Amino acid sequence: HLDAFTSPRLVEYFDPDPCALQERLDAAGSLDSMSKRAMRLPASAPAAGLGVRIEAKYSVGEYEILILSAKESGGLETWLRTNGYGVPAGAAEVLRSYLRQGLYFFVAKVNLERQRELGFERLRPLQMAYESPRFMLPVRLGMVNADGPQELFVFALTRSGRVEPSNYRTTRLPSEVNVPVYVKDEFPHFYRDLFGHHVEQERMRTVVLEHAWDLAWCDPCAADPLTATELRGLGAFWVDPASANVANNVFVTRLHVRYDAAGFPDDLVLRETGDRTTFQGRYVLRHAWQGSGRCPAAQAYRDSLPPRWEEEAQALASLTGWELADIRARMGIDRPVAGDQPRPWWRDLWPGR
């Protein structure tokens, strides 16, 4: 639910009848002074012998969970391997750094027999609570056995404002951009390529802000607001379930990270800010008016469409890295339009330019 509420989204606008606009302005006697403004459209082993201590042991649903502490990384790695845990080569160095920080280890095994008894086909998410003087996510251990870059989403609920990394740069995706209307039918493909193109341009060294918003309101909501029960279940312990406006003191931040060991050599250290400036990934579709009106405003409107479509095509190519020629073809504008300049001869030599 939180994912749907904070997801990047498309918004649609439909161009109004320019003749109807002109008639209303004529009736008001203010065509000359207001026509330009009116025609603007919306923008866009044994534990002890290896120095390992089992601090706690739980059986929760389909999981068998241990909380471990250790004196040294080699003993911890040996204990994990001996007890059937898959530990990738090279993990000892990362484990050693966490031991120096006095961290504990949350280790989970899946009990397949118990999972079948419970009737679940997919593993359910694990939820834990802990207190720490450091606001951080230990992401490096997951990179040791990674086959390619890792993908991480961070959803942070706070009382004060936006959450951001303190040891990596934050970037915002381009937003409020007009894109061709056909993107509506392939928005997941569009957004995956947009994100990938942005990360590539940033050399996979930044944390990307996808959403920052006060949960008390939205403009408009991409999904129904979360209930007090949901917010408390996600960890917002300060929410009063009896309050009429349950989200009046909850700010949500959505961060998206694609990372590897080269670009993210350190764990993700976060900080809570007091910045409540709102942001969302928002992409605009503008449907052209399809009427047959013949008023002067209608002709001026039709003349404005080809340049607008070309701007949308170029914006989409810039956002995603898609070939401009392919985008024009999908839009049906890969041909001369009345009043256009002749097609440059070099465009056929280098498609997409």
Side-chain angles (χ1 to χ4, degrees):
H1 191 173
L2 187 62
D3 174 64
F5 189 88
T6 59
S7 290
R9 63 192 184 93
L10 284 172
V11 295
E12 293 184 89
Y13 295 108
F14 292 82
D15 290 353
D17 179 349
C19 294
L21 280 175
Q22 182 175 325
E23 290 173 2
R24 287 198 295 271
L25 291 170
D26 287 342
S30 58
L31 178 60
D32 291 339
S33 62
M34 293 181 61
S35 58
K36 291 182 180 179
R37 182 177 59 184
M39 287 299 293
R40 287 198 193 109
L41 300 173
S44 31
L50 294 170
V52 176
R53 177 185 176 90
I54 300 174
E55 302 285 349
K57 184 176 182 179
Y58 307 95
S59 179
V60 182
E62 63 268 40
Y63 295 99
E64 302 293 340
I65 297 169
L66 300 177
I67 308 297
L68 304 176
S69 63
K71 294 181 179 179
E72 57 95 20
S73 60
L76 177 58
E77 184 176 9
T78 300
W79 187 92
L80 290 170
R81 291 184 189 278
T82 303
N83 286 272
Y85 293 92
V87 182
E93 182 178 350
V94 179
L95 294 174
R96 188 179 304 114
S97 69
Y98 291 141
L99 289 174
R100 289 171 181 162
Q101 299 175 54
L103 298 182
Y104 291 82
F105 295 84
F106 182 103
V107 184
K109 271 186 181 179
V110 180
N111 185 329
L112 294 175
E113 183 177 346
R114 180 60 176 156
Q115 184 188 18
R116 285 192 293 270
E117 292 175 358
L118 293 171
F120 294 107
E121 294 184 2
R122 296 177 178 270
L123 292 178
R124 292 177 293 173
L126 284 165
Q127 186 175 27
M128 67 197 81
Y130 66 95
E131 295 182 1
S132 171
R134 298 187 67 206
F135 187 13
M136 57 86 77
L137 286 173
V139 298
R140 288 183 300 146
L141 190 58
M143 290 186 281
V144 176
N145 65 337
D147 183 13
Q150 299 285 285
E151 207 85 10
L152 173 68
F153 291 88
V154 179
F155 300 88
L157 302 177
T158 70
R159 283 178 282 190
S160 62
R162 180 173 51 82
V163 166
E164 65 182 15
S166 61
N167 59 337
Y168 291 104
R169 190 163 57 90
T170 303
T171 58
R172 298 185 179 194
L173 287 177
S175 185
E176 302 296 336
V177 182
N178 291 344
V179 295
V181 294
Y182 80 81
V183 169
K184 180 178 180 179
D185 296 326
E186 47 192 75
F187 184 66
H189 179 207
F190 156 77
Y191 190 75
R192 280 194 299 269
D193 285 358
L194 180 151
F195 182 82
H197 189 61
H198 178 82
V199 168
E200 182 180 349
Q201 290 181 316
E202 296 291 340
R203 298 185 299 166
M204 204 156 55
R205 294 179 183 273
T206 66
V207 176
V208 180
L209 176 67
E210 289 187 326
H211 189 97
W213 213 274
D214 194 317
L215 283 177
W217 66 284
C218 41
D219 182 29
C221 294
D224 292 335
L226 279 73
T227 65
T229 300
E230 287 176 313
L231 290 170
R232 289 180 64 85
L234 288 169
F237 60 88
W238 62 91
V239 172
D240 180 2
S243 172
N245 189 358
V246 297
N248 61 357
N249 197 25
V250 183
F251 194 91
V252 60
T253 305
R254 173 183 172 131
L255 302 173
H256 188 178
V257 193
R258 182 173 295 165
Y259 64 97
D260 60 14
F264 281 76
D266 299 316
D267 289 316
L268 195 61
V269 180
L270 303 168
R271 70 185 185 97
E272 184 180 359
T273 76
D275 184 1
R276 300 182 77 91
T277 304
T278 58
F279 173 81
Q280 61 179 208
R282 187 173 179 271
Y283 306 94
V284 182
L285 305 178
R286 291 177 58 188
H287 293 269
W289 174 67
Q290 300 294 328
S292 57
R294 297 295 178 182
C295 69
Q299 187 56 50
Y301 168 79
R302 293 189 184 97
D303 291 342
S304 72
L305 290 177
R308 185 178 97 183
W309 290 334
E310 177 63 19
E311 288 180 6
E312 292 175 352
Q314 294 194 24
L316 182 58
S318 175
L319 289 173
T320 61
W322 294 353
E323 290 290 341
L324 184 56
D326 294 340
I327 295 171
R328 290 191 182 114
R330 289 291 307 274
M331 296 175 68
I333 62 172
D334 194 27
R335 59 183 183 275
V337 181
D340 279 4
Q341 296 296 320
R343 181 183 177 87
W345 58 269
W346 45 262
R347 185 167 284 168
D348 293 324
L349 294 179
W350 303 304
R353 298 293 183 181

